[in-house]
Every structure is written in structure tokens, then in C-alpha cells.
Amino acid sequence: MQNPNSIDDVQAMLSQTGYVCGRALATVVFLSLKLGRPLFLEGEAGVGKTEIAKALAASLGRRLIRLQCYEGLDAASAVYEWNFPAQMIAIRTAEAQGDADREILQKELFGPDYLVERPLLQAMRPDANGAPVLLIDELDRTDEPFEAFLLEALSDFQVTIPELGTITAPEPPIVVLTSNRTREVHDALKRRCLYHWVDYPDFAREVEILHAREPHLAEQLSREIVAFVQALRTEDIFKKPGVAETIDWAKCLLALDVVDLSPEVISDTLGAILKYQDDIAKIQGSEAARLLKEAKASLEPG
């Protein structure tokens, strides 16, 4: 599929994959595709940052390549490594056969057959379906030296392997970077990207998202679920539930054949929306009943 021609096209395209996209986010996605600029998304965990990359890949028919970031991630781990066990077997085999020409063997050992490609190198390769979508997920988990390397890689869309030389992408990948903002990402990297803060959706949009992801959910129960989760986000808890938790909770309630929220059902299924015991202990019982009462009251007309 060709890139969308307008912001409305972006919204329509993503909606076909079940991703409900507001106009502000659709605008920055459209500009990212139009200008070939990386897209940097920040926001709380579970608000749909990773899903936008998945939705883009699915709707455009492109390959999704994901680089999951973690503390200590370095350039070598993100770009390539050599298949050391296979190299050792090749050396032993050559020695046993008596044809261990050092120069020829070295060229073979450090050639494409023994190269293990990691996400950044994979994203530089040509693809019959067009440039892949490169998701660099949770960049804030990495260290500053990796940011500096990434700055260069995203500027030129090329990587260098000493034994093979420089590999340049024939067509720059569609790059989506995400951050949960556990630390600040350097301004130099942000400047090379189009930036968007992905916030929690309002009530109407979250209901729309729930309908798109769980179409079998009854209308009234959908509204009660969203109203309760949104009330929960106003509480002083350690980890507020994201949209991902709203969807997970809805799936649990569907599996239990729940037709109406009650304090008992909420207490039994809080583990689907809250991930810390202190938060669960705080919301269980009378607190859950109070929040549910407020949530249902907010749905009453007038």
C-alpha cells in the first residue's frame, strides 16, 4: 500500500487495523511518512505508543522490525554479531580436511554466511514490500552512549561493519521511537524526530478504542469499564492503568460472561488493571464500590 495522501487517510488507514487515532497523532504520523522523519512518541506505559508502529506496518503492508531497548544495550547488539559457534566449526572442519588457507578462511568466516543481523542492520536491507517499519521501543531504558550512536545511524541511515564496510539503506526505514519517560532523552536525538506526547484518551475515544478492539462487548458494559478506569486514573496510585489494561480487563470480563460491573467482580479482577499489590490493596473493597458508584453516576443523563 502507498503512503496516505492526507491526515484523514491516516486515520482511516489505521482504523482498519483497529487503531483509533486522534487527529493530532494522525497529523504527526502523516508528516513523518511524508517527510521521511523518525517519529518520537512519549507517554505513560500502555497508552498505545508501541501499537502505532504495529498498526503502521500492518496497514502499509511493511515488515515490522522491533529493537527492544534495555540497560546496557550497545551498538554491536543492535546492529550485528558474528556466529562464533559456526565459525569455530568451520575452522575445525577446515583444519581436519587440511585446506585451512588462512587468508581464504578469514574471508569466509567474516562474510555474509556467518553474519547475524540485528534489528538496525535488518532495517537497512532492501525489501520487496518497501522500507520496513523500525520500532525502537522504550529508548529511555538505554544509556547515553547508545543514544549517541543512534543519532548517527538515524542521520545517515547507514551502519558500518569493519569486516564488510558501510551498509546504506536503499530506502530509509519508517522509524518509530518510544519512551515511557523514565529519564529524559537527549535533545539532539529529539531534534531529528517529529515529536508527539501520547496521552490517555478522553472518555469517548477510549470507548471507541474498546469497541474497535472488543466489538462483542455490550455497549453499557463498555461505558462502565471506561468510566471506572478513568476514575481510577484520578486516584493516588503507583501505576495508573493505560489503555492496554482497559482492553485486557474487558477481555477478562468477557471471558467471565460479566454483563454488569459490581464491586465483587472488580475486586476479583483488579489484577487485570493494577499491577502492584499496594495499589490493589488500596482499591479493593469499599474504595472499589465508591469508584464504581461515581463511575455509574457519571454515565447517567443530565
Side-chain angles (χ1 to χ4, degrees):
M1 180 178 176
Q2 296 297 317
N3 286 352
N5 295 315
S6 68
I7 298 167
D8 291 337
D9 285 349
V10 170
Q11 289 182 294
M13 178 185 75
L14 295 178
S15 68
Q16 293 175 0
T17 68
Y19 192 95
V20 178
C21 184
R23 189 165 182 84
L25 179 54
T27 300
V28 76
V29 168
F30 172 73
L31 291 172
S32 174
L33 294 173
K34 186 82 172 177
L35 303 176
R37 295 277 297 279
L39 178 60
F40 189 93
L41 302 175
E42 274 192 323
E44 299 293 337
V47 293
K49 302 184 299 298
T50 299
E51 290 300 316
I52 189 67
K54 295 179 180 179
L56 271 174
S59 57
L60 292 172
R62 308 293 181 91
R63 181 185 177 194
L64 175 66
I65 299 173
R66 181 173 183 171
L67 173 61
Q68 180 61 53
C69 298
Y70 55 86
E71 186 177 351
L73 176 66
D74 58 13
S77 302
V79 180
Y80 77 100
E81 64 179 336
W82 294 106
N83 189 338
F84 181 70
Q87 287 174 323
M88 290 302 299
I89 292 172
I91 292 172
R92 296 293 174 83
T93 301
E95 289 175 345
Q97 294 175 348
D99 56 356
D101 184 299
R102 186 181 184 86
E103 187 174 343
I104 294 176
L105 185 59
Q106 184 171 0
K107 287 182 179 179
E108 290 178 353
L109 291 176
F110 292 98
D113 291 343
Y114 296 93
L115 182 67
V116 180
E117 298 188 358
R118 296 304 184 194
L120 287 181
L121 179 54
Q122 293 172 16
M124 303 295 172
R125 296 301 195 186
D127 194 298
N129 294 322
V133 175
L134 172 62
L135 169 62
I136 303 174
D137 212 12
E138 297 185 325
L139 179 62
D140 52 319
R141 291 180 178 271
T142 62
D143 305 315
E144 289 189 7
F146 182 75
E147 273 189 48
F149 161 76
L150 202 57
L151 191 65
E152 181 180 357
L154 295 183
S155 296
D156 303 325
F157 292 105
Q158 66 180 29
V159 293
T160 299
I161 300 174
E163 298 85 353
L164 297 178
T166 299
I167 297 171
T168 303
E171 182 183 358
I174 300 168
V175 182
V176 178
L177 304 98
T178 76
S179 167
N180 294 333
R181 209 174 185 181
T182 57
R183 70 169 179 85
E184 287 294 335
V185 173
H186 200 280
D187 287 345
L189 183 59
K190 284 186 175 182
R191 280 198 300 271
R192 280 161 174 75
C193 306
L194 296 176
Y195 175 86
H196 186 77
W197 174 266
V198 184
D199 210 346
Y200 296 115
D202 60 22
F203 177 82
R205 188 167 303 283
E206 193 158 7
V207 169
E208 189 180 354
I209 292 169
L210 204 51
H211 283 164
R213 300 302 293 270
E214 293 299 327
H216 300 298
L217 203 64
E219 171 70 21
Q220 182 59 26
L221 183 58
S222 297
R223 291 169 59 82
E224 288 180 2
I225 290 171
V226 172
F228 183 84
V229 171
Q230 295 215 341
L232 199 54
R233 290 182 189 137
T234 66
E235 296 297 300
D236 183 20
I237 54 179
F238 183 74
K239 172 63 178 69
K240 299 183 192 308
V243 180
E245 282 74 32
T246 305
I247 295 169
D248 284 346
W249 193 31
K251 290 179 179 178
C252 292
L253 297 176
L254 269 176
L256 295 171
D257 296 322
V258 172
V259 295
D260 182 60
L261 280 186
S262 67
E264 294 75 24
V265 167
I266 291 171
S267 293
D268 289 343
T269 57
L270 269 178
I273 45 177
L274 298 177
K275 306 302 178 180
Y276 290 88
Q277 177 55 31
D278 289 348
D279 289 346
I280 292 174
K282 183 175 183 177
I283 299 301
Q284 274 182 333
S286 60
E287 194 67 11
R290 177 185 67 82
L291 287 173
L292 179 59
K293 184 178 179 181
E294 291 178 1
K296 288 190 174 184
S298 70
L299 298 177
E300 294 175 359

